[in-house]
Every structure is written in C-alpha cells, then in structure tokens.
Amino acid sequence: QVQLQESGPGLVKPSGTLSLTCVVSGGSISTSHWWSWVRQPPGKGLEWIGEIYHTGSTNYNPPLKSRVTISVDKSKNQFSLNLSSVTAADTAVYYCARKLFGPSYYYDYWGQGTLVTVSS
Amino acid sequence: DIQMTQSPPSLSASVGDSVTITCRASRSISNYLNWFQQKPGKAPKLLIYAASSFQSGVPSRFSGSGSGTDFTLTISSLQPDDFATYYCQQSYSTPSFGQGTKLEIK
C-alpha cells in the first residue's frame, strides 16, 4: 500500500519561500506515475500546483509557474515543492498525490495534507 | 484553461435518498473526468475515474456518467457516511477542479 507524507514548516513569512517535502513509502517513486502537489485554502476548493516525473520532467499550473519549483530525490524516495514570494493568499493545506495513467489520469493516493500559514 | 462548474453548490438530503450532482466543463474533455469525496480535515478520496469507472473499494451506490462537457455523480440510498463535499476534476488538460458540492443531512 503506497503512502505519502508531507512535511515542512507550518508558518512562512510573507515574501519568503514555502518549502515542503513528500515522502513516498510502500513503493518506489521511480515508477510510471507522476507525483503532484495540490492545495486548498481554508474553506475553499482544490487547486492543482504541479507535478514531477522521476526523470525530473515537470508540469506547472500557469498562474503559479513563475513561483513554483518541484524537484525529486530518488535516493530518498521523495519529492519537494518550493513556492517563492508567498503572500497570505498562499495560506492553504498542501497535499501531495500520485497520478495514475489509465483511461483517464487520476489521483489515487494522497497524503494527509499539511497546513501552511503565511503570516509575519 | 478549462473551467469546471458544479451544481448545486450545496444539497440537503436524508438517509436513504438518492441525489445527483452535476459537473459541466467549459469545453469538451471527452471522459477525462474524476470525482472525489472530501470530509473535513481529510484528503480527497477518489470515487470515480474516467467519468464512470469505480475506484477499488468504493460502494456501488456511487455511480458516474457523462462525456464531452456534461457529467453527473449519483449517490443512491444515501448512507450517513456519505455526507461530505464532492468535487469533480478534469484531467484532459492542466488539471482543474469544480468548486465543490456540500452534501448535508436534512
């Protein structure tokens, strides 16, 4: 059973950089899946941030693309999110998830989420 | 980008009722449509993928249909555990989610 676990600071100052890591257990990150980040502001809906393949190929959501970097560390079976120049609008629960290819592309495994608050 | 519009935003129903949630895409997405259930403080849970395929372990009272731009999620014979927020999500292009439908107990 694949499990994903997010970790990182729960508080980031405005204009700073949000950094989170997602550790994958129960399976290798070097499989034919993409590994994604999704966020959810308090009381609001879900927003896709971006994704990475174990080769290092990435795709980002255009509105966030200039501020987002997603990287992978195969030796640690984990991937990471960096979001720069954060504001209060970036306060959200951040989830990592696995994207599976099938008759559609869908997210079958998710981390439990971690709340990141942007505040001074 | 593709906009996903869900209706209704909220819905009240009783245990045993049948309910339908609608999701409309701003342009055709074939069957690249997934449905998630989310409970407070929890990650989204995949229910349906490719518009009508059941994720393993999901009860058969959940069903999905549609293609192109119009999709529905139907929950028959509501159980207490089904009261949650439901999201549709398209994977045809840059992924995007509907705004959610909150299903509450009447």
Side-chain angles (χ1 to χ4, degrees):
Chain A
Q1 173 93 355
V2 172
Q3 292 186 312
L4 292 82
Q5 176 73 55
E6 306 91 347
S7 63
L11 180 64
V12 180
K13 294 186 185 304
S15 77
T17 296
L18 179 159
S19 296
L20 296 174
T21 295
C22 180
V23 175
V24 179
S25 59
S28 173
I29 203 169
S30 299
T31 55
S32 53
H33 300 97
W34 287 75
W35 303 92
S36 306
W37 289 97
V38 176
R39 70 180 182 178
Q40 185 172 36
K44 296 187 178 180
L46 299 156
E47 180 182 31
W48 180 76
I49 299 170
E51 63 187 3
I52 191 164
Y53 198 62
H54 63 85
T55 57
S57 295
T58 54
N59 294 303
Y60 299 133
N61 198 346
L64 300 170
K65 187 174 183 178
S66 63
R67 298 194 292 130
V68 174
T69 302
I70 298 176
S71 58
V72 64
D73 185 335
K74 291 185 286 187
S75 67
K76 295 182 178 178
N77 222 42
Q78 66 185 38
F79 61 107
S80 299
L81 169 69
N82 277 1
L83 180 66
S84 63
S85 305
V86 297
T87 69
D90 295 309
T91 294
V93 174
Y94 286 76
Y95 296 100
C96 56
R98 185 181 84 166
K99 187 172 84 171
L100 184 65
F101 288 96
S104 173
Y105 309 133
Y106 53 95
Y107 302 98
D108 59 345
Y109 287 102
W110 295 68
Q112 87 280 7
T114 187
L115 174 63
V116 179
T117 301
V118 178
S119 175
S120 56
Chain B
D1 56 341
I2 298 175
Q3 309 300 322
M4 306 301 295
T5 303
Q6 282 183 239
S7 60
S10 63
L11 183 56
S12 294
S14 301
V15 172
D17 286 351
S18 177
V19 298
T20 296
I21 299 169
T22 297
C23 181
R24 175 165 288 176
S26 58
R27 62 179 175 94
S28 178
I29 58 171
S30 184
N31 70 334
Y32 287 72
L33 190 284
N34 309 311
W35 288 99
F36 294 88
Q37 176 194 68
Q38 188 180 35
K39 296 182 179 179
K42 300 295 186 181
K45 174 187 174 184
L46 179 68
L47 300 174
I48 302 286
Y49 63 92
S52 60
S53 296
F54 297 99
Q55 173 65 348
S56 175
V58 172
S60 58
R61 62 181 180 274
F62 290 91
S63 63
S65 66
S67 67
T69 60
D70 294 313
F71 302 86
T72 60
L73 173 71
T74 298
I75 314 171
S76 60
S77 189
L78 278 169
Q79 299 300 301
D81 191 51
D82 299 338
F83 293 94
T85 299
Y86 292 85
Y87 292 94
C88 62
Q89 177 251 326
Q90 64 81 16
S91 56
Y92 186 82
S93 65
T94 301
S96 57
F97 294 83
Q99 79 277 20
T101 294
K102 187 174 184 178
L103 178 56
E104 299 175 303
I105 298 177
K106 184 182 289 183

